[in-house]
Amino acid sequence: QRSILMNDQDFIIEEEPYIFGGTQLVLKKYVGTASKVYVPAEVKTIATFAFRENPYVEQVVLPSELEDIDSCAFYDCKNLYKVNIPDSIRVIAGSAFSGCENLIDVALPDRENIFVERTAFVTCHRLTEYWTKHGLCPLCGNRLTRKLFKKVCNRCHTNIK
């Protein structure tokens, strides 16, 4: 593993082996103080605790080729309220946004082959209230479908009465 020096010293990015061969760039840590953060385009994965407890971050713009957001990547970012999730995303791990109590603006791609762990947005109460009000699953943001007297999420199999 080696650190990749980029123009912006607010990011610690490392090159790591990729599970399917080759290497990929992983954002290990954001150490900046910007309120709106643009993650570099080359990043494929946001690592566990990369933004942990950052009090400055309010918005994050993720690169269009990002594939994975690891568990607790944005853990306890109390002021984070907006994140764009690109169409390229494959996995949003458990507790990825845990403790982001002001998160309200997240739009997930509308496709079934995204793996969003059930706890990815745990404790994001403002977000789950918004999603539920608009017919979206409060756990993963997928559009709910109606089956008999319940609303069902086909992505994470949550039943909402």
Side-chain angles (χ1 to χ4, degrees), residues 94-108:
S95 300
F97 295 92
S98 176
C100 297
E101 58 193 35
N102 286 304
L103 187 61
I104 192 152
D105 192 348
V106 174
L108 293 171

Side-chain angles (χ1 to χ4, degrees), residues 3 5 11 21-23 31 34 38 41 45 56-58 69 76 84 86 104 112 118 120 122 138 140 148 153 156 161:
S3 291
L5 297 176
F11 298 98
T23 60
V31 294
Y38 293 87
T45 298
Y56 307 104
V57 176
E58 295 175 5
I69 300 173
D76 220 14
N84 76 302
I104 192 152
E112 294 297 319
R118 292 178 67 95
V122 69
C140 74
L148 297 174
C153 176
C156 70
K161 289 184 180 184

Side-chain angles (χ1 to χ4, degrees), residues 19-83:
I19 192 168
F20 299 111
T23 60
Q24 67 172 346
L25 294 183
V26 177
L27 172 57
K28 293 296 210 173
K29 185 76 177 158
Y30 174 72
V31 294
T33 59
S35 61
K36 187 170 187 178
V37 177
Y38 293 87
V39 174
E42 302 84 4
V43 170
K44 297 289 187 200
T45 298
I46 307 290
T48 300
F49 295 129
F51 285 83
R52 181 182 185 172
E53 298 175 345
N54 186 301
Y56 307 104
V57 176
E58 295 175 5
Q59 298 180 56
V60 176
V61 178
L62 298 173
S64 62
E65 299 300 317
L66 184 75
E67 295 179 356
D68 302 303
I69 300 173
D70 287 348
S71 62
C72 301
F74 294 91
Y75 177 79
D76 220 14
C77 289
K78 300 275 188 219
N79 293 314
L80 180 65
Y81 74 89
K82 182 175 184 176
V83 177

